[in-house]
Amino acid sequence: MMTEQDKKEYHESPKRKTALKDYRNIGIMAHIDAGKTTLSERILFYTGVNYKVGEVHEGGATMDWMEQERERGITITSAATTCYWKNHRINLIDTPGHVDFTAEVERSLRVLDGAVAVFCSVGKVQPQSETVWRQAQKYHVPVIAMVNKMDRTGADYDGVVREIRTKLGACPVPLMLPIGKEADFKGVIDVLEGKAVYFDEASNGVKMTETDVPEEHKARWEEAYKYMVECLAEVDDEIMEIYLNEEMPDHDQIKSALRRATLGCKIVPVCCGTAFKNKGIQKLLDAVVDYLPSPVDIWDIKGTDPVSGAPLTRHVGDMQPFSALVFKIMTDPYVGKLYYFRVYSGIASQGMSVLNPRTGKRERLGRLLQMHANQRVEQEEIFSGDIAAAVGLKNVTTGDTICLEDSPIVLESMSFPEPVISIAVEPKSSGDRDKLAKGLIALAEEDPTFQVRSDEETGQTIISGMGELHLEIILDRLVREFKVEANTGAPQVAYREALCGSAESNMKFVRQSGGRGQYGHCIINLIPLERGAGIVIENKVVGGNIPKEYIKPIEAGIREAAASGVLAGYSVIDFKVEIVDGSYHPVDSSEMAFKIAGSMAFKDAARKAGIMLLEPIMKVELTTPDENMGDLIGDITSRRGTIVEINAGENSFTRVNANVPLSELFGYATAIRSLSRGRATYSMEPAHFERVPKQVQDKILEKK
């Protein structure tokens, strides 16, 4: 929160239409099919941006503007828009729920100040709910929970609140209680205000009626009010003091404490409603305005000096030096590449010269566009706290900072998961080769989890992504946007290689061919690390046996050798290399010689230590009718899967959690449809890597 001193330093441009304290940069995040896009559509309707309600199932949702989204009824790319509620400007990003598009959620959360996590009242906390929750925690984004679909059969508001506490480890505080449930869901009780709110169906919920809490709900409301105060007393000193004096805090004290605790990520306010039936959305918007942060609340913007790496701090405000983070790149058929960015400090203006600290080069901001899904409104200036898109940048990628040349800073970037599935692609006709390459490069620039490489041995173009759907969408976009069709090979799993033990290697690279030769010599220790530890290279050379300028080439050789693999061409992960000794020749030694020596030493040590293959394991959650459970569990077991948990649900449905190797999951959607006659549903997300069984490893090596 701002201090009095901060307020003195804080200045806004007179051209600004909305005060910065009245901004809310929020994202809508959730598991697939929890109702995020429907909720976003209702927000646009109630805030007056849309005059009619867009429906996802009819392909009319504003925020799902891509053809592929409308056909499949899912969100693929995060869409940004702006709306107004009670004199507050809400910059809204609707993110995808499917795990294949997790990068869209990651980069959106990095530039947002707050988020609304949507939970299905029937499905409760699902696997992808946990993933997006972890992403929000990583960037310290305060969250409001919205329990949606309260009109559905099997709706369980208390069950969702309970799972937010047990599965997500959060402290949920209901701001609303449902009046009725399933088909009888009529409205909500506002716990803080002590009012029952009913929504008029004839006006699509625009008209609301407030009454006193009905007698039959009074005990429940009083209990929820008391629970709210108790939760706040645990995390807020002011409420704790009042509570210890055996007094009850007043309305304004509770409201202020709710805001402080939400901003500190100590509690999660919980709302409820049904977006599809137009109930509860205005109350959610009130909660967004009341409890989620404005850019001013995130006063300190942390970064580093691009030269020294020393920590730097910027403050929000239009009169501060300009700094912004590019979080997304998109190819627009009409204006070319759009670079989405969030302005953290200062003002961006058309034609302005900015620095990209990563490249050290100047860039020029061309046209500046305010986005509403895929529609554009040109702006002359973009103010602090705003999210917009620029045209005209050249050498800029996702995660780059742009700032003033005389006041450089590097803002915290974002990290993306590694692709887990690969396929070979080739153009259907030789004339399309250049078009295919151009399209793939453009799509790879947009999406950090999509990678393109050429296989040196076969000459094939290999594309890698987060799942079958991800690659299917990529191929669909090639046809529609780049007018090029491609043939595809069988999907390949991105295996990894890991060490079985430790080893030492003493390797010399010596070449003499008349004149100056090549000489590089290094001794290394190779040590396996635990999963997820990455690659660590440590220089332990003493006495100048290897000059410092040759250490970096040795490192580069080790990393290059690890990337190309030792056993089957898959990259080696999770190891530590200690460069312990070596020697050099005053004339013949060179960076190239030491790079080759490092590469040879790594491969030699790896072979001595022994190499095993690792495969990606997926966390699969399956919801199945009870009568099909045996068949589906048998199918998982036949795919080398391990059952982790079985939960008996309601309405004769059971939820099964399992870990299954990705290589066994191709075509799984078709299999479960036939086994359950289309009634079972599943979702999956990457969990971890595990050792491949010997007989499976032998088969993989045979194919290689």
Side-chain angles (χ1 to χ4, degrees):
M1 298 287 284
M2 288 176 79
T3 64
E4 287 304 313
Q5 181 60 34
D6 292 337
K7 286 175 184 169
K8 287 175 190 168
E9 295 174 9
Y10 169 61
H11 299 288
E12 291 186 355
S13 166
K15 294 182 186 175
R16 182 187 275 283
K17 290 177 183 169
T18 307
L20 194 49
K21 67 178 177 58
D22 295 332
Y23 269 58
R24 298 291 180 271
N25 289 321
I26 67 162
I28 310 286
M29 62 179 199
H31 184 87
I32 192 167
D33 209 26
K36 292 177 305 305
T37 304
T38 304
L39 176 63
S40 299
E41 293 301 317
R42 296 310 185 270
I43 288 173
L44 295 181
F45 176 66
Y46 293 121
T47 55
V49 174
N50 286 356
Y51 64 91
K52 72 182 184 70
V53 174
E55 299 294 6
V56 175
H57 61 277
E58 292 170 2
T62 307
M63 302 297 267
D64 281 353
W65 55 270
M66 287 173 72
E67 289 297 326
Q68 293 89 338
E69 293 177 315
R70 292 186 168 182
E71 286 170 6
R72 291 168 174 81
I74 61 169
T75 303
I76 292 166
T77 182
S78 52
T81 191
T82 300
C83 55
Y84 292 85
W85 183 255
K86 295 189 174 174
N87 299 320
H88 285 69
R89 176 184 175 124
I90 299 174
N91 292 324
L92 175 76
I93 295 184
D94 173 32
T95 66
H98 200 288
V99 70
D100 283 18
F101 310 106
T102 189
E104 288 290 325
V105 185
E106 182 85 20
R107 56 185 170 192
S108 300
L109 284 172
R110 168 62 188 88
V111 296
L112 293 169
D113 302 325
V116 175
V118 186
F119 297 93
C120 171
S121 64
V122 182
K124 304 184 182 73
V125 176
Q126 295 167 287
Q128 184 65 2
S129 314
E130 295 177 43
T131 305
V132 295
W133 195 271
R134 284 196 304 273
Q135 287 171 309
Q137 283 186 316
K138 179 166 131 188
Y139 296 116
H140 308 291
V141 175
V143 176
I144 288 177
M146 171 65 176
V147 182
N148 192 26
K149 303 190 177 184
M150 284 304 302
D151 58 318
R152 284 267 302 272
T153 305
D156 181 3
Y157 180 69
D158 294 336
V160 181
V161 173
R162 195 163 50 248
E163 286 199 1
I164 291 173
R165 185 182 300 106
T166 55
K167 285 193 174 182
L168 303 178
C171 175
V173 176
L175 298 180
M176 299 181 206
L177 298 174
I179 300 173
K181 66 174 186 177
E182 300 178 349
D184 297 325
F185 178 66
K186 298 185 183 72
V188 297
I189 294 168
D190 187 322
V191 176
L192 181 58
E193 303 296 337
K195 296 284 181 188
V197 185
Y198 300 93
F199 301 88
D200 173 47
E201 292 189 14
S203 64
N204 283 333
V206 173
K207 292 178 185 168
M208 297 184 293
T209 310
E210 280 196 3
T211 65
D212 291 332
V213 177
E215 204 60 45
E216 67 268 26
H217 295 292
K218 265 208 171 138
R220 201 162 135 248
W221 163 63
E222 284 166 1
E223 189 185 327
Y225 189 89
K226 188 181 167 197
Y227 172 75
M228 179 185 281
V229 175
E230 284 171 358
C231 285
L232 290 172
E234 285 180 22
V235 297
D236 189 88
D237 293 342
E238 190 182 310
I239 302 296
M240 168 69 85
E241 201 175 314
I242 297 167
Y243 197 70
L244 289 176
N245 291 333
E246 296 184 2
E247 295 171 11
M248 218 38 183
D250 63 30
H251 173 279
D252 291 345
Q253 287 170 324
I254 293 175
K255 195 167 184 178
S256 299
L258 277 169
R259 181 170 175 77
R260 285 194 298 272
T262 306
L263 296 189
C265 298
K266 293 173 182 172
I267 65 159
V268 177
V270 186
C271 303
C272 66
T274 163
F276 185 54
K277 294 288 177 66
N278 313 303
K279 291 174 184 170
I281 312 307
Q282 295 97 318
K283 281 290 170 185
L284 172 67
L285 283 166
D286 288 345
V288 165
V289 164
D290 289 341
Y291 305 120
L292 285 183
S294 75
V296 179
D297 292 310
I298 296 115
W299 180 241
D300 287 333
I301 301 149
K302 292 186 168 42
T304 54
D305 185 291
V307 180
S308 67
L312 286 178
T313 303
R314 284 275 157 85
H315 299 306
V316 298
D318 300 330
M319 305 307 164
Q320 295 283 339
F322 169 74
S323 65
L325 186 76
V326 176
F327 67 96
K328 178 172 173 170
I329 300 169
M330 268 184 62
T331 304
D332 186 285
Y334 302 106
V335 296
K337 270 191 197 161
L338 286 173
Y339 295 82
Y340 282 75
F341 64 97
R342 154 83 190 261
V343 181
Y344 280 93
S345 60
I347 300 173
S349 53
Q350 281 197 17
M352 178 176 168
S353 179
V354 294
L355 172 75
N356 179 352
R358 181 182 60 84
T359 61
K361 291 185 177 163
R362 263 193 231 153
E363 296 275 352
R364 188 176 167 279
L365 291 175
R367 292 164 65 198
L368 297 176
L369 306 167
Q370 202 79 58
M371 302 301 292
H372 174 51
N374 66 330
Q375 296 163 7
R376 303 166 296 277
V377 179
E378 199 156 331
Q379 303 285 349
E380 283 187 19
E381 291 184 317
I382 303 295
F383 299 100
S384 175
D386 253 330
I387 292 169
V391 181
L393 299 174
K394 296 279 186 283
N395 193 10
V396 174
T397 61
T398 302
D400 278 355
T401 301
I402 50 174
C403 56
L404 289 184
E405 200 168 355
D406 57 3
S407 192
I409 187 172
V410 177
L411 301 172
E412 182 196 353
S413 189
M414 52 208 99
S415 56
F416 298 103
E418 285 289 311
V420 295
I421 181 172
S422 304
I423 57 173
V425 294
E426 59 180 33
K428 285 203 169 170
S429 65
S430 55
D432 283 345
R433 195 170 298 281
D434 288 346
K435 274 165 76 178
L436 177 66
K438 191 177 169 187
L440 290 173
I441 289 165
L443 293 171
E445 283 176 352
E446 285 185 23
D447 185 350
T449 57
F450 171 62
Q451 292 177 5
V452 183
R453 66 181 173 85
S454 184
D455 189 307
E456 289 177 14
E457 289 180 18
T458 63
Q460 286 181 306
T461 300
I462 309 293
I463 62 172
S464 308
M466 297 306 295
E468 286 182 277
L469 178 63
H470 188 195
L471 295 182
E472 183 190 317
I473 298 294
I474 292 284
L475 294 169
D476 195 10
R477 289 186 65 191
L478 278 173
V479 174
R480 296 191 193 205
E481 293 171 33
F482 298 93
K483 307 290 184 279
V484 56
E485 291 196 35
N487 294 320
T488 58
Q492 300 292 314
V493 176
Y495 292 98
R496 297 285 183 268
E497 297 180 15
L499 302 171
C500 297
S502 302
E504 186 188 87
S505 177
N506 183 342
M507 194 58 68
K508 271 185 189 174
F509 173 68
V510 184
R511 288 282 183 278
Q512 199 66 49
S513 55
R516 186 179 168 181
Q518 295 281 357
Y519 182 93
H521 173 214
C522 64
I523 302 170
I524 66 167
N525 288 332
L526 187 57
I527 305 153
L529 297 177
E530 61 188 26
R531 291 292 150 264
I535 298 172
V536 180
I537 301 176
E538 210 173 291
N539 176 21
K540 289 196 167 183
V541 178
V542 290
N545 288 352
I546 301 176
K548 278 189 177 173
E549 64 265 27
Y550 295 139
I551 297 296
K552 278 230 172 344
I554 293 172
E555 276 193 34
I558 290 167
R559 289 183 188 277
E560 219 170 80
S564 59
V566 178
L567 185 67
Y570 301 109
S571 55
V572 186
I573 59 168
D574 303 331
F575 62 85
K576 179 181 180 180
V577 173
E578 295 173 346
I579 306 168
V580 290
D581 206 355
S583 62
Y584 75 104
H585 190 282
V587 177
D588 290 351
S589 284
S590 66
E591 289 190 1
M592 181 55 71
F594 273 99
K595 184 177 177 183
I596 294 168
S599 173
M600 289 164 64
F602 174 80
K603 288 191 174 178
D604 178 56
R607 287 190 189 99
K608 288 177 186 171
I611 291 281
M612 58 182 165
L613 271 190
L614 303 176
E615 62 182 342
I617 303 295
M618 307 300 281
K619 180 180 173 185
V620 177
E621 183 173 285
L622 185 67
T623 305
T624 169
D626 291 348
E627 68 259 31
N628 303 120
M629 188 174 74
D631 292 338
L632 287 166
I633 286 176
D635 181 60
I636 285 173
T637 310
S638 72
R639 294 171 186 269
R640 297 195 285 122
T642 310
I643 305 298
V644 177
E645 190 181 22
I646 297 175
N647 290 319
E650 295 173 8
N651 307 319
S652 303
F653 271 77
T654 299
R655 195 188 290 182
V656 179
N657 289 326
N659 288 333
V660 188
L662 174 66
S663 58
E664 303 288 341
L665 285 170
F666 296 126
Y668 186 55
T670 311
I672 67 162
R673 272 191 214 116
S674 62
L675 286 169
S676 66
R677 296 192 299 282
R679 294 177 67 204
T681 58
Y682 82 102
S683 64
M684 64 176 179
E685 61 178 38
H688 56 273
F689 279 87
E690 258 179 33
R691 186 169 186 170
V692 176
K694 187 166 185 326
Q695 64 271 27
V696 178
Q697 180 170 311
D698 291 343
K699 281 182 189 170
I700 294 166
L701 295 178
E702 269 174 40
K703 286 180 187 173
K704 280 278 173 181

